[in-house]
Amino acid sequence: MSDPRTRDRRDRVVAGIHLVVDGPPDAPPLLLLHGSGATAASWSPTVPTLAASRRVLAIDLPGCGRSAPAPPYDVPAQADRVAALLDELGVAAPRVVGHSSGGYVATELAVRRPDLVGSLVLLSTGPAPDAMLPEAAAVRVLMGRPFGPLLWPLRTTGMLRRGIRSVTARPVVVPDAFLADVRRTRYRDFRQIMDGYAAYLAERPLPDRLSATGAAPLVVFGDADPRWNPASARRYEAVPGARVEYLAGVGHVAMLEDPGGVSRLILDAA
C-alpha cells in the first residue's frame, strides 16, 4: 500500500468536466461515477480509504454539479464524454465504479471502450425497469412534471437531506459539499439526464448488455435498498464471471451508509 502521506488531492476542470483527483500519482487508477441527482462529492466518505492505495478520480458527470451542461444526455453520449476525459488525462484501464444510474454510464463505457475499463463495480445499480420500487411521494413531486421545474429553485438544504434519507436504511451524515454541488444542477439538465437513463434501461437490461461485453462485474447492493428490489441483484449472476455481494442493513446510498464496507469491496474487486 502506498504511503498516505504521498496523497495529492486537487480539483480540476477538463473539457468542461469537473473532477476531484486524489491519491498517490503512481497508484493504480480508480474512476468513480455518481448516480442520478448526485455529484462527485457523494463519494467523499470513501475517498480517504480508497486514495490510500489508488489514484482516485471522482467526476461530476456532464450537466451535474460543477460540470458544464452538455446535452444531449443519452447514456452513450455520456460514456463517450467520460472516455474522452480519460483519453485526455492519459488514464489507462482504471477500475470503474458506478453508483446507481452511474452504473449505466460505466456499463456503456465497457461496451464502447473496453480498453478503458480494467474492471467494473456496480453499486446499487438496478438491472431492469421492473426491479424499481415506488418512490416517496415528495421525491416524485420534486423530480417530476409539472411541479418539478417550479419547486426546483426552492429546494432547501433540509429538503435535500430528507430526499437523500428517503432512500437510505441507516442514519447518514450528508456532506455539506455534496449538497452545495447538488444545488448547482439545473432542472432541465437533470430531467434530460433522467430520461436518458430510463431509455437506456428500457432498451435492454444491464445483465444482457454486460454479457455481450465479456466484462465480469462485481455487483454490490444494500439488502435494504428502498429504490431497487435487492433481490434483483441476483439477475447479474447470469453474466459470466459476475460476483454479487450484499451489505447488511444498507439502503440505496451505500457510500454514505457504510463507507468502510463499500471501500473494502471496491478495493477487493478482481
Side-chain angles (χ1 to χ4, degrees):
M1 179 178 292
S2 301
D3 187 337
R5 291 172 297 180
T6 65
R7 281 180 57 188
D8 175 28
R9 185 191 185 283
R10 63 185 66 188
D11 284 69
R12 298 182 62 182
V13 177
V14 178
I17 296 179
H18 170 254
L19 68 154
V20 179
V21 184
D22 203 341
D26 59 347
L30 174 64
L31 175 66
L32 303 176
L33 302 177
H34 63 79
S36 304
T39 71
S42 63
W43 295 100
S44 58
T46 68
V47 169
T49 298
L50 297 174
S53 61
R54 297 290 189 273
R55 184 65 163 168
V56 178
L57 297 89
I59 75 172
D60 290 349
L61 287 165
C64 300
R66 285 183 270 175
S67 287
Y73 294 113
D74 57 279
V75 172
Q78 293 284 60
D80 285 344
R81 294 183 189 113
V82 173
L85 174 68
L86 294 175
D87 286 338
E88 176 70 20
L89 295 172
V91 176
R95 179 165 299 168
V96 179
V97 186
H99 173 245
S100 192
S101 49
Y104 308 151
V105 179
T107 296
E108 188 63 17
L109 184 64
V111 170
R112 303 171 80 81
R113 290 290 304 275
D115 60 303
L116 290 179
V117 180
S119 59
L120 182 63
V121 181
L122 302 179
L123 177 63
S124 308
T125 298
D130 64 346
M132 184 180 292
L133 299 174
E135 290 180 313
V139 174
R140 289 200 305 273
V141 171
L142 178 62
M143 293 169 51
R145 303 181 181 96
F147 299 110
L150 302 175
L151 296 174
W152 199 259
L154 305 178
R155 295 171 300 161
T156 65
T157 298
M159 290 170 62
L160 292 173
R161 290 187 192 278
R162 287 192 294 274
I164 293 167
R165 288 169 179 158
S166 73
V167 291
T168 63
R170 294 182 179 182
V172 295
V173 175
V174 183
D176 290 339
F178 177 25
L179 297 178
D181 282 352
V182 165
R183 289 177 62 86
R184 294 172 181 262
T185 303
R186 303 184 306 179
Y187 182 82
R188 72 183 74 172
D189 296 302
F190 168 77
R191 193 63 259 171
Q192 290 177 45
I193 291 167
M194 292 294 290
D195 291 345
Y197 289 148
Y200 186 76
L201 197 59
E203 181 182 51
R204 191 179 185 190
L206 245 63
D208 291 354
R209 293 181 185 272
L210 290 163
S211 293
T213 68
L218 167 63
V219 177
V220 181
F221 258 65
D223 68 2
D225 191 327
R227 175 72 171 151
W228 296 96
N229 182 352
S232 70
R234 293 297 180 192
R235 299 186 193 181
Y236 288 100
E237 292 176 341
V239 181
R243 171 180 150 212
V244 177
E245 296 280 353
Y246 283 98
L247 293 167
V250 170
H252 186 63
V253 195
M255 65 278 261
L256 299 184
E257 298 176 72
D258 186 6
V262 169
S263 299
R264 173 181 54 80
L265 287 169
I266 290 174
L267 293 173
D268 289 347

